[in-house]
Amino acid sequence: MVTRADILILGLTAGVGGSLLGGLMLGIGLGLVVNNVHAGWVLVLPAAPVSGLLGYWLARRLARQLPP
């Protein structure tokens, strides 16, 4: 059974982990683009979807704990 604490931890983990991952990708990618390394766009463009996928993955892992 999933408790309210599990849902709270899911939200906190997804928020912090997603912002760290997306922020790192965005920061490194923009640093490369500013220095005329256009391969940095490969990091900048998918930064937000990749950080969202982290939360989605954590939510699916928590949903597996529910009884059928």
Side-chain angles (χ1 to χ4, degrees), residues 1-49:
M1 184 70 183
V2 176
T3 64
R4 290 172 62 179
D6 291 335
I7 295 171
L8 177 67
I9 295 300
L10 167 70
L12 290 172
T13 305
V16 171
S19 64
L20 283 174
L21 180 64
L24 279 172
M25 288 178 68
L26 189 65
I28 293 170
L30 284 177
L32 289 171
V33 169
V34 166
N35 289 319
N36 289 326
V37 179
H38 297 294
W41 287 110
V42 173
L43 291 174
V44 172
L45 294 176

Side-chain angles (χ1 to χ4, degrees), residues 10 14 51-61:
L10 167 70
S51 64
L53 284 175
L54 179 65
Y56 179 73
W57 176 73
L58 288 170
R60 286 187 52 94
R61 191 176 72 176

